[in-house]
Amino acid sequence: MKIAVIGGAGVRTVIFVNGLLDRYKALNINKVVLFDIDGEKLEIIGKLCKHVVERRNETLQVEVAYEAVEAITGADYIVTTLRVGGDHSRVVDETIALETGVIGQETTGVGGFSMAVRTIPVLIEYCELIKEHAPNAWIFNFSNPSGLVTQALRSKGYDKIIGICDAPSSTKFRMAHALDVAEKDLYVEFFGLNHLSWISSVKRYEEEMLPTLLNDDAFLNGIQEFSMFDPDLLRQIGFLPNEYLYYYYHREKALENILKSGATRGKTIEAVNIQMMEELKRINIDEQPEEALQIFLYYMEVRERSYMSIETGSNKKAEIERGNLQVPDGIGYAGVMLDCIEGLQSEEGRYLVLSVQNQGCMAGLAPEDVVEVTCNVSKEGIHPVAVGEVPEYCNVLIHAIKLYEKLTVEAIFTKSKEKAIQALTLHPLINSYSLAKVLVEKYDQAYGGLFN
């Protein structure tokens, strides 16, 4: 079986490929083909991916393709991981937002809006190619904002698309470690939307633990995703939050910390990636593949340690020792995707958190609305676990963001500035017609006419 990666020159592709190596044989995958419009970067990332395979003496084929059709044709599974406009577009998105007085995080709020407006039309073009050249392939969308993008593609009739995010699986991994229990023995149930979800159940060996965990400050402070929240808030809600809810529950803190730092996440990532590629271009990867891989791993560790540090005001300055760094095992995006493939090939199935159509899972939302929930995945298909009625405290945010998403999709499809302004006006992190109007105009100008 063949996996095609559209956007294969992204730096996380190396970790993605490494994550395949423990499981590709069991899942009958024998080839990965990487495609990207940035040929120079694709060549570098492709060589690093091949070295990751060779250093473990595995037989997985890794190829690069310089034409999309070549990569897509005959693929059984396709990964879409695009950043339309490159790293600098994220800097532009965040800067415009901050100059206007709002948070510009790339998946949450107006940063996500700008990214979606640029990304969705391009992904539709790729989906049309997939329909023609790999009509039976499952599409795993990693492109941010994942939930909004998946909503748009589903509304266009691309039925075999699943939104993937590694935040829930990473949270579960850390929870299992903190509770000294194997992941397979810990059941964690999520509901909501992508980057706007809550944990409603935590069971260890079938025993419900959520009320106990909410009252355990040591546990809350010991998990990265929960430690940034006021514990009293979590007890008031009665659920454990997705980390991106920080932007809603502690909005002024996030904005203050970003402004105070004099930098944004986008600027940090752009600088790291530029330095990484400059070093990699100076080395002969064919002759020094391990040295090149260690350069890559150093900068990926720098990048990882900066995650959420600006927004939360934390500081991770521990020195990183070059030269003997290990390749991450890929439990993130690759892990969720492989778990999904395994589930789709199995009789018994497995529980995963995915962005899929609601199908009556959450009361009050339409069947076609894309939600992020725990699903049972098996040969019988992907079936969301029933959530039923959602507490009003969460419901208000879910409905506001879902309406924002639908209006954004409509604005993109009809190229309507008016719909775009309406969408941002309703978004809780903007919540102002006058701000929405200014923001839409600024992004439209910055990108040469998004709605033309």
Side-chain angles (χ1 to χ4, degrees):
M1 287 185 162
K2 170 183 171 180
I3 295 176
V5 183
I6 299 174
V11 293
R12 296 182 76 174
T13 304
V14 180
I15 298 169
F16 175 84
V17 169
N18 190 62
L20 294 175
L21 295 180
D22 290 329
R23 302 169 66 182
Y24 71 101
K25 291 178 181 176
L27 298 176
N28 303 305
I29 295 164
N30 65 324
K31 181 187 288 188
V32 178
V33 181
L34 313 179
F35 165 76
D36 202 285
I37 61 171
D38 187 335
E40 183 181 27
K41 192 175 177 185
L42 178 63
E43 186 175 349
I44 291 171
I45 295 298
K47 287 180 179 181
L48 291 175
C49 289
K50 290 176 183 178
H51 176 59
V52 163
V53 175
E54 290 165 0
R55 76 203 288 261
R56 289 180 56 175
N57 296 313
E58 297 291 349
T59 58
L60 178 68
Q61 292 176 255
V62 177
E63 300 177 2
V64 298
Y66 296 95
E67 297 292 336
V69 170
E70 179 187 348
I72 290 167
T73 300
D76 300 280
Y77 306 106
I78 297 173
V79 174
T80 55
T81 174
L82 306 184
R83 184 176 292 283
V84 177
D87 290 332
H88 191 65
S89 65
R90 182 172 182 176
V91 179
V92 171
D93 291 346
E94 292 173 343
T95 301
I96 288 174
L98 291 173
E99 288 175 349
T100 315
V102 299
I103 294 170
Q105 203 277 334
E106 70 166 343
T107 65
T108 302
V110 73
F113 165 85
S114 178
M115 191 171 186
V117 174
R118 299 192 310 276
T119 302
I120 288 168
V122 176
L123 273 175
I124 287 173
E125 293 178 9
Y126 285 123
C127 284
E128 284 298 304
L129 291 177
I130 293 167
K131 186 192 294 185
E132 181 179 355
H133 298 283
N136 297 316
W138 280 100
I139 304 171
F140 296 93
N141 175 56
F142 296 174
S143 301
N144 278 323
S146 180
L148 174 49
V149 168
T150 304
Q151 179 74 62
L153 297 179
R154 277 285 191 171
S155 70
K156 275 290 187 181
Y158 305 113
D159 295 331
K160 296 190 73 174
I161 185 162
I162 302 165
I164 297 286
C165 180
D166 63 348
S169 62
S170 297
T171 300
K172 181 185 176 184
F173 172 80
R174 280 186 269 271
M175 290 173 68
H177 180 74
L179 295 169
D180 194 24
V181 61
E183 270 197 272
K184 65 180 179 63
D185 295 322
L186 189 68
Y187 176 77
V188 182
E189 191 169 298
F190 290 77
F191 74 94
L193 308 178
N194 177 240
H195 287 187
L196 192 93
S197 63
W198 296 262
I199 294 171
S200 58
S201 178
V202 181
K203 292 180 180 177
R204 179 173 57 185
Y205 308 119
E206 302 300 320
E207 175 194 0
E208 182 59 63
M209 302 181 66
L210 182 59
T212 301
L213 297 178
L214 284 168
N215 285 295
D216 185 343
D217 282 358
F219 171 80
L220 297 176
N221 290 327
I223 304 292
Q224 174 184 311
E225 290 85 344
F226 309 145
S227 63
M228 62 186 77
F229 295 91
D230 187 322
D232 289 336
L233 166 68
L234 306 188
R235 287 188 273 269
Q236 182 186 93
I237 298 169
F239 299 126
L240 292 170
N242 178 291
E243 60 198 318
Y244 285 85
L245 283 165
Y246 179 82
Y247 294 104
Y248 296 89
Y249 293 149
H250 296 295
R251 179 177 56 183
E252 78 292 344
K253 287 184 179 180
L255 184 57
E256 180 185 357
N257 287 330
I258 293 168
L259 293 171
K260 188 168 57 178
S261 73
T264 66
R265 175 72 174 160
K267 285 183 180 178
T268 302
I269 294 298
E270 182 183 39
V272 169
N273 286 348
I274 288 172
Q275 291 171 337
M276 175 197 295
M277 296 312 295
E278 284 178 351
E279 283 201 39
L280 288 172
K281 286 174 185 177
R282 288 198 296 265
I283 192 170
N284 188 321
I285 300 178
D286 294 322
E287 294 180 2
Q288 299 173 285
E290 186 61 27
E291 288 84 346
L293 180 62
Q294 288 299 318
I295 290 170
F296 167 82
L297 292 173
Y298 168 77
Y299 283 106
M300 289 302 289
E301 183 64 20
V302 171
R303 174 180 170 138
E304 178 64 23
R305 292 193 187 190
S306 69
Y307 182 68
M308 289 292 281
S309 61
I310 292 172
E311 295 89 338
T312 61
S314 61
N315 201 358
K316 304 173 185 176
K317 284 193 172 179
E319 188 174 344
I320 303 168
E321 189 173 339
R322 288 192 185 221
N324 195 31
L325 295 168
Q326 300 300 308
V327 186
D329 58 12
I331 64 168
Y333 288 109
V336 180
M337 175 186 168
L338 293 175
D339 287 345
C340 193
I341 293 173
E342 181 182 301
L344 289 167
Q345 295 180 6
S346 71
E347 297 287 348
E348 65 278 8
R350 58 185 304 163
Y351 288 101
L352 302 170
V353 181
L354 303 169
S355 286
V356 296
Q357 286 185 312
N358 184 41
Q359 304 172 41
C361 161
M362 289 170 57
L365 292 175
E368 68 273 14
D369 286 346
V370 170
V371 295
E372 184 178 84
V373 291
T374 300
C375 301
N376 183 263
V377 183
S378 73
K379 281 185 175 180
E380 301 301 315
I382 299 173
H383 301 287
V385 171
V387 174
E389 295 292 335
V390 175
E392 198 63 27
Y393 193 92
C394 305
N395 211 23
V396 170
L397 268 179
I398 290 171
H399 279 265
I401 295 300
K402 180 50 63 180
L403 182 54
Y404 148 78
E405 289 183 350
K406 288 180 169 181
L407 288 169
T408 299
V409 170
E410 190 177 346
I412 293 166
F413 290 166
T414 62
K415 295 188 180 298
S416 169
K417 277 188 182 180
E418 290 73 22
K419 286 291 179 186
I421 293 167
Q422 190 177 353
L424 288 181
T425 299
L426 292 172
H427 197 292
L429 295 182
I430 293 129
N431 197 29
S432 163
Y433 173 80
S434 53
L435 281 178
K437 191 171 183 179
V438 169
L439 287 163
V440 169
E441 288 295 340
K442 284 188 175 182
Y443 285 113
D444 194 51
Q445 291 173 17
Y447 292 105
L450 289 172
F451 299 99
N452 294 339

